[in-house]
Amino acid sequence: MKKVRIAQIGTSKFSHGSAIWRSLIKQTDIFEVVGYAFPENERKKFPKETARFDGYREMTVEEILNDPEIEAVVVETEEVNLTKYAVMVARAGKHLHMEKPGGTDLADFRKLVDLVREKGLVFSVGYMYRFNPKIQEAIQKIRNGDLGRIYAVEAHMDCKHDAEQRQWLENFPGGMMFFLGCHLIDLIYQIQGEPMKVVPLSCSTGIGGIHTEDYGMVVYQYPNGLSFAKTCDNECGGFLRRQLVICGEKGTIEIKPLEVDANGGKYTVLRESYNATRKNWSMPWEEARSDIFDRYDSMMQNFAEMVRGKKNPYSYDYELGLYELLLRSCGRTIK
């Protein structure tokens, strides 16, 4: 595959811009990294994160957008600025990967989707669990009918962040639900589609005198059951309690933890139980552990393959529908 000439716009303190950059410069057989730009005074705001780009060419946003040999751009600014710079990239006619989930303005996100659709551009959004090997395996089992009709999906994504980051959540509708709950909503939306009813339940733990919505929860009603996403920024041991449970008429799959740190990357564990193989209620579930993987490498490999012609499994309509569902899950009314 011909290398993709690519540049990055932005990084931030609480998201994954530095990790995406590391993945790009590591995969020298796939990407030719031209340079990067730091808008919005990022060099001053995030000195630790921006220092990781030293040794490569620093450019202006305009230089990136006006360079005809740059085919693709990664937008990794702070969340509130994502859609703003993504629209600039789309107008310049360059393929786009951006951090999840997009800015906080629905009209701007709709404009972005209209632009990439009109120009036929690759539009990739940084939902990392799409590339988790055991989640991919579970979704394939669902599509194969192994679990039968799905009646519930239960998803958790928790952390224990410091006071500064919890206060920072005030920048988003729904706080933690917008910031990290979006990953869970993506999984539920993939598996079950549009719900009949959305019940947002975000609140604040109030711990440490911080009253942002650091505890996010949303319940979805479907024709044959209820599903939910729960995300908390104040949970001790929360990272290893991240989980996805998929309940069907023929069987249940539990992926927990979603990720475990290991030398060289991460691994995850899938457990499954099926009606046809159960002799008694207390039988242990079948269990399988994934190989070690990097949560970003396969995502960026997929982006490069789409730039070179592979079909995007997530359509423009899917990404727009997901974003609208996210805003509804954060308590926003969609018109």
Side-chain angles (χ1 to χ4, degrees), residues 256-314:
K256 178 185 177 183
L258 294 180
E259 296 172 327
V260 181
D261 288 330
N263 289 333
K266 302 180 186 295
Y267 70 86
T268 190
V269 178
L270 181 148
R271 300 176 183 86
E272 52 192 334
S273 175
Y274 295 93
N275 295 343
T277 58
R278 300 294 290 176
K279 294 186 175 66
N280 61 65
W281 287 4
S282 61
M283 280 181 61
W285 291 24
E286 295 293 323
E287 179 174 308
R289 172 175 156 172
S290 76
D291 294 333
I292 304 297
F293 63 93
D294 184 296
R295 56 160 47 163
Y296 305 109
D297 285 356
S298 56
M299 182 164 64
M300 300 319 296
Q301 290 164 11
N302 182 69
F303 179 53
E305 290 168 0
M306 292 192 298
V307 170
R308 291 289 172 252
K310 174 185 171 182
K311 183 178 179 181
N312 191 341
Y314 302 95

Side-chain angles (χ1 to χ4, degrees), residues 203-256:
C203 62
S204 174
T205 63
I207 294 172
I210 294 172
H211 298 287
T212 59
E213 291 180 307
D214 60 353
Y215 190 119
M217 191 164 181
V218 61
V219 177
Y220 302 115
Q221 183 177 6
Y222 287 94
N224 58 329
L226 299 173
S227 295
F228 70 83
K230 175 255 180 180
T231 179
C232 181
D233 204 16
N234 220 337
E235 183 171 308
C236 296
F239 186 84
L240 292 182
R241 209 171 74 79
R242 295 181 179 188
Q243 60 190 284
L244 178 68
V245 180
I246 306 161
C247 302
E249 59 184 329
K250 296 180 181 179
T252 301
I253 287 177
E254 177 190 61
I255 303 173
K256 178 185 177 183

Side-chain angles (χ1 to χ4, degrees), residues 9 65 73 75 85-96 121:
I9 295 176
L65 298 180
V73 177
V75 176
Y85 288 96
V87 166
M88 294 180 188
V89 170
R91 283 179 174 154
K94 300 183 187 298
H95 300 296
L96 168 66
L121 301 172

Side-chain angles (χ1 to χ4, degrees), residues 171-212:
N171 291 294
F172 313 118
M176 190 63 170
M177 182 57 67
F178 186 92
F179 175 48
L180 291 186
C182 60
H183 288 293
L184 308 178
I185 296 167
D186 177 48
L187 298 176
I188 296 171
Y189 192 51
Q190 283 187 60
I191 294 167
Q192 292 190 289
E194 188 73 22
M196 299 164 53
K197 186 176 181 180
V198 177
V199 184
L201 297 166
S202 292
C203 62
S204 174
T205 63
I207 294 172
I210 294 172
H211 298 287
T212 59

